[in-house]
Amino acid sequence: RKEVEQDPGPFNVPEGATVAFNCTYSNSASQSFFWYRQDCRKEPKLLMSVYSSGNEDGRFTAQLNRASQYISLLIRDSKLSDSATYLCAVNSPDNFNKFYFGSGTKLNVKP
Amino acid sequence: DAGVTQSPTHLIKTRGQQVTLRCSPKSGHDTVSWYQQALGQGPQFIFQYYEEEERQRGNFPDRFSGHQFPNYSSELNVNALLLGDSALYLCASSFSTEQFFGPGTRLTVL
């Protein structure tokens, strides 16, 4: 079983829509969780951390569900510029700086 | 404040050759991690350097080696290149848990 799994998509949504992605992780002892955004042929850019209490940054909301071992990312009022691949990252319990990444979920926001 | 920098941006090598990739971390960051990202996949952890020592290693063969210098910059060396080593190689620097990636080196092995 992979350490981190994501639905590859693509998610095709119209501008203004609300879209949500989930990411499941296998090790219940993981402590740090992040969402990254990656544009085509570019490096991943840190989007937001995921805290136990949830985290909101403008149109973006990240949540952690420890019982079911998944994290989620909600994007409200989608913009064309939100089109990208969204990667989740989960740390290894034996090294808080070692991360496992999912393969990413591709989002296409259409006019 | 410069972010993470990597060089070169692109590299073409042939099978069996050796390659060295370089990374300078973000100012104030002391930990450097290297990842390999194949097309359509997420980054895969290669290893991590802290205080000039390899602190953690992923499932990569010994052909992959690295080094960290006193100024925290780092090198990734790959020997006996295989076609399957073609990928985007990413360096990430950190001080705590948040990792910031450099632009990557795109390696093509022919």
Side-chain angles (χ1 to χ4, degrees), chain A residues 2 32 34 36 38 41-46 49 51 87 92 94-104, chain B residues 31 33 35 37 40-43 45 48 55-58 88 90 94 96-103 106:
Chain A
K2 289 185 178 180
S32 299
F34 298 93
Y36 284 81
Q38 186 170 29
R41 302 185 74 80
K42 298 286 191 180
E43 76 273 22
K45 291 192 185 298
L46 182 62
S49 306
Y51 306 124
L87 300 163
S92 168
D94 61 346
N95 180 345
F96 70 91
N97 258 334
K98 175 183 176 181
F99 284 89
Y100 295 109
F101 282 81
S103 296
Chain B
T31 301
S33 302
Y35 291 83
Q37 186 174 24
Q41 300 296 315
F45 179 82
Q48 181 182 92
R55 181 161 70 175
Q56 188 75 221
R57 191 176 182 92
L88 179 67
L90 295 160
S94 57
S96 60
T97 56
E98 291 184 343
Q99 295 194 341
F100 296 86
F101 285 91
R106 191 163 297 281

Side-chain angles (χ1 to χ4, degrees), chain B residues 2-67:
Chain B
V4 182
T5 60
Q6 290 186 246
S7 63
T9 54
H10 293 84
L11 206 49
I12 299 175
K13 292 285 188 179
T14 57
R15 280 180 297 175
Q17 285 190 308
Q18 177 265 343
V19 68
T20 297
L21 312 181
R22 296 178 176 81
C23 170
S24 290
K26 192 174 167 64
S27 177
H29 287 186
D30 57 4
T31 301
V32 173
S33 302
W34 285 92
Y35 291 83
Q36 179 194 68
Q37 186 174 24
L39 203 59
Q41 300 296 315
Q44 299 294 312
F45 179 82
I46 303 175
F47 43 52
Q48 181 182 92
Y49 279 84
Y50 172 71
E51 292 189 342
E52 302 180 53
E53 291 197 356
E54 183 181 291
R55 181 161 70 175
Q56 188 75 221
R57 191 176 182 92
N59 294 326
F60 280 80
D62 292 344
R63 298 187 296 109
F64 290 76
S65 63
H67 189 78

Side-chain angles (χ1 to χ4, degrees), chain A residues 23-110:
Chain A
C23 165
T24 59
Y25 60 95
S26 62
N27 195 319
S28 60
S30 293
Q31 294 292 324
S32 299
F33 310 87
F34 298 93
W35 282 102
Y36 284 81
R37 170 201 169 117
Q38 186 170 29
D39 293 292
C40 188
R41 302 185 74 80
K42 298 286 191 180
E43 76 273 22
K45 291 192 185 298
L46 182 62
L47 184 63
M48 57 198 310
S49 306
V50 187
Y51 306 124
S52 297
S53 56
N55 188 20
E56 184 173 322
D57 183 4
R59 299 181 293 108
F60 298 82
T61 300
Q63 292 195 312
L64 167 64
N65 185 316
R66 284 197 181 276
S68 299
Q69 293 182 209
Y70 73 87
I71 61 173
S72 64
L73 178 68
L74 181 78
I75 305 175
R76 289 180 296 277
D77 189 22
S78 298
K79 311 290 185 191
L80 295 177
S81 57
D82 294 333
S83 297
T85 295
Y86 291 83
L87 300 163
C88 63
V90 177
N91 84 308
S92 168
D94 61 346
N95 180 345
F96 70 91
N97 258 334
K98 175 183 176 181
F99 284 89
Y100 295 109
F101 282 81
S103 296
T105 297
K106 186 163 177 57
L107 172 65
N108 295 317
V109 181
K110 309 285 189 183

